[in-house]
Amino acid sequence: MAPTLKDVAAHVGVHPSTVSRVLRGKENLKISAKTHDKILKAVKELNYIPDFTARALRMKKSFTIGLIVPDILNPYFARIARRIEQLGFEKKYTVIVCNTDEDQQKEILFLNQLISRGVDGIIIAPVQDSKEHIVDVIDKNIPLVLIDRIFEDINVNSVITNNAESVMKAVTHLVKLGHKRIAFLRGQKNIYTIKNRLAGYKEALKEFNLSLIDNYIVGEGFEFEDGYEATLKLLALPKLPTAIVSSGGDLVTLGAIKAIYEKGLKIPEDISIIAFFDSLYSPFLATPLTTITHYRQKIGEKAFKLLLKQIESSKDMQAKTICVDTKFELRDSTAKPKN
Amino acid sequence: MAPTLKDVAAHVGVHPSTVSRVLRGKENLKISAKTHDKILKAVKELNYIPDFTARALRMKKSFTIGLIVPDILNPYFARIARRIEQLGFEKKYTVIVCNTDEDQQKEILFLNQLISRGVDGIIIAPVQDSKEHIVDVIDKNIPLVLIDRIFEDINVNSVITNNAESVMKAVTHLVKLGHKRIAFLRGQKNIYTIKNRLAGYKEALKEFNLSLIDNYIVGEGFEFEDGYEATLKLLALPKLPTAIVSSGGDLVTLGAIKAIYEKGLKIPEDISIIAFFDSLYSPFLATPLTTITHYRQKIGEKAFKLLLKQIESSKDMQAKTICVDTKFELRDSTAKPKN
DNA sequence: CTGTTAGCGCATTCAT
DNA sequence: ATGAATGCGCTAACAG
């Protein structure tokens, strides 16, 4: 068996609580240098490792936070998660990452699991079929911050990005190149980010007096196949778009690229593309992609700091929504339209 | 405050232990249908969520496993991790992922942290500067399985891939195309996988009677910059290689590609490349890469199952080393050498 | 400066 | 079929 406080205490000949005090190392608790040293020596000798579980139970504080994201394989969330872990590590917090695969049932399960494990707080990019389960958590007074996707009518700390503006910038770029038939490859419909990106798309069209063509808005999910299928549909239209704004992220975009190649089209000669794309790989693709990328580390940082503040402040703090900019990176996947 | 067993018991008018029994749901414990139902009803009403921490303390079983990898941003480890999480979820285990960034100090810290948290087992791709800390964990009788990187002289469950054979296959392919000057872009030296890949490289050279050129073996790490720098060095040599085997994974390979492009060379016309490359992106790169890829999900699966068996078996089981194949995927980054 | 006491929430052994 | 008692390992309030 692993040695406990009691074992260490017995080994030194003091009371367990004394050992505890030494190990907690509170400044103001006066302990004789002698016993202090003896205890530390015994700890080393016995190779004592404190039992975090017991401590958590006693202190009602687990130094654990939960992170719920759709899919950690997505470089967007991976980078955010990694940053949160890093910061957590610095502050002695462990983070438990949960992947929902955009399945709200799973999300609810994870939420309960995390609560059951007594996490000190939760960072979540929710599935957004509904919000009751999120509200429940907040009502339980468990610190929570939303990332990427918020519910506009609930008052909670959140970190988002300026989706609409990003797309408007992208469309503007295309219009200036001469494009008039710009399609929007969506991603999953009901998601906050996507709704806002779509809104930005529509607003930009309006601004440039371009008509909104329903068939030009396609896509139903965030997976490779979703992008592939949707783009095939797009490319089967009688009147092809000359440009695509891909708002569903890396996988969707790769799917789109595959479809485009399969149809024998060239990027950007036949069709231009601007994508929300967060991996390192964009410069190396067949045609280096012009992208909208996120400051993912910053998003992770803001989220973690908000959460930490909420965890550490006894009184409830004023909820804040932080908006992080995106970056427009011009590469080679956009050009003037042919016709 | 969250309701406890006691609250539920009081609400129904029974003893907490009775509630516990109902919730544990052991078959052989006879409980009247009446109280059973009443208790379940109360649980729902109060929205009782069991305290996992307390349970873990009491049962000395946390239903948590630790996964320690170099970097979850690496698609190789990301996919393995994801699969382990998935399987863990099915079996009610939570997994805590730790990233070492190839820093052994961190690895030791994480190991202790995990032990302190009372994980039921650990899966680890170790840094491999040394092995004492790993042996310590095993000596503590904590179930542990090594992935990707093993210590050949310690007897422990492990899952590896056939590194040497993979490289031999790659070199063979290049030789058959007519290459005689084949460089090896290594990755971090002291790592098991890399050592074996290098061994495979050397063996293949020998088999084909090609001389081993020291300058053709480069690379010191797993990052993008490592690949970039190392390849620049390679391309500054008086006698350029006509092909590169990149054994350091995705990032290193991307770095290499960048260096090659910057030197104004073309793939595969000027230089061929075969890479250990695990992301979805390989078909879409400027020249779709001929790669060696891993069955990452399978690796995760094997590792998880080994660990679970070890956790669940009271007596210590016979340690096993499972070797998972790799896949050679021919694309367009290899061709006959120019001269 | 250190020991004593109590209890976090739960599962379990022993009663009844 | 259920209640009572115990303790997992730890911290904290209170004594002294």
Side-chain angles (χ1 to χ4, degrees), chain A residues 185-187 218-236 244 246 248-264 273, chain B residues 284:
Chain A
L185 176 53
R186 184 169 41 197
V218 293
E220 302 291 336
F222 291 122
E223 297 303 314
F224 182 90
E225 280 73 22
D226 296 317
Y228 177 68
E229 302 290 348
T231 305
L232 281 184
K233 213 180 293 177
L234 212 50
L235 300 180
I244 298 178
S246 171
D250 287 46
L251 297 183
V252 166
T253 303
L254 289 182
I257 291 174
K258 184 179 180 200
I260 291 170
Y261 289 167
E262 274 189 16
K263 280 285 175 184
I273 182 165
Chain B
F284 303 100

